[in-house]
Amino acid sequence: MRAGQRFFTGLHTRVYRASHGRIGSRMGPVENVLLTTTGRRTGRTRTTPLGCLPDGDRLVLVASNGGATRHPDWYLNLCADPHVTVQRGARTRPMLARTATPQERDVLWPRVVQRYAGYARYQRRAPREIPLVICEEQPRRPG
């Protein structure tokens, strides 16, 4: 990640957290959340502001990486450890993240592109299929 992008990502995260999501939770028609993953190599937590598509109780994230050739680090992290934390507005909750199945992607992708047409441009530019990630509430453990 370039230094400028890293700076603005960090700033967005700090402002979002400090305002409990009142600032930074929307970019035009796109709702933003803070996704926290565990680094697959370092074991340290990493937080990334991302656009999301609410889908009932689930959240759909787009691993576009701006149409880059490789998947974003946050996506690789959650593939290694699907236990994530998502802050949506003032609420933070543990969730399980997984890559959408091809059938789910077929249904969700048009909705994602309708919300933000830039994702279609990213997909045309990317030499990979851009994954959609579904975050679901972690089931409560008995006891």
Side-chain angles (χ1 to χ4, degrees):
M1 191 181 313
R2 295 195 311 244
Q5 184 180 5
R6 193 174 10 252
F7 171 79
F8 285 110
T9 296
L11 179 62
H12 187 170
T13 300
R14 287 190 300 279
V15 169
Y16 193 110
R17 279 192 176 140
S19 70
H20 303 286
R22 287 187 301 278
I23 302 171
S25 64
R26 291 211 81 75
M27 295 267 205
V30 178
E31 180 180 349
N32 286 296
V33 297
L34 296 181
L35 174 74
T36 301
T37 60
T38 301
R40 64 195 179 284
R41 291 188 297 242
T42 65
R44 295 194 303 215
T45 59
R46 304 280 186 212
T47 301
T48 307
L50 294 169
C52 78
L53 175 71
D55 183 50
D57 292 339
R58 310 180 316 171
L59 298 174
V60 179
L61 308 175
V62 183
S64 68
N65 205 15
T69 58
R70 63 184 299 270
H71 294 307
D73 288 338
W74 64 262
Y75 177 72
L76 299 173
N77 288 343
L78 68 79
C79 286
D81 181 355
H83 295 87
V84 300
T85 303
V86 177
Q87 180 177 346
R88 184 178 183 203
R91 183 177 181 208
T92 301
R93 60 186 171 155
M95 301 186 91
L96 286 175
R98 63 179 177 81
T99 303
T101 65
Q103 296 81 10
E104 289 170 319
R105 190 179 189 286
D106 287 347
V107 171
L108 293 168
W109 184 255
R111 291 181 52 209
V112 164
V113 171
Q114 181 181 14
R115 182 69 55 98
Y116 178 63
Y119 289 130
R121 288 190 299 277
Y122 296 161
Q123 183 59 84
R124 284 192 298 274
R125 185 170 51 209
R128 61 187 172 88
E129 181 174 86
I130 293 175
L132 295 183
V133 173
I134 297 174
C135 295
E136 299 171 299
E137 194 87 39
Q138 284 191 25
R140 299 214 186 273
R141 294 184 182 170

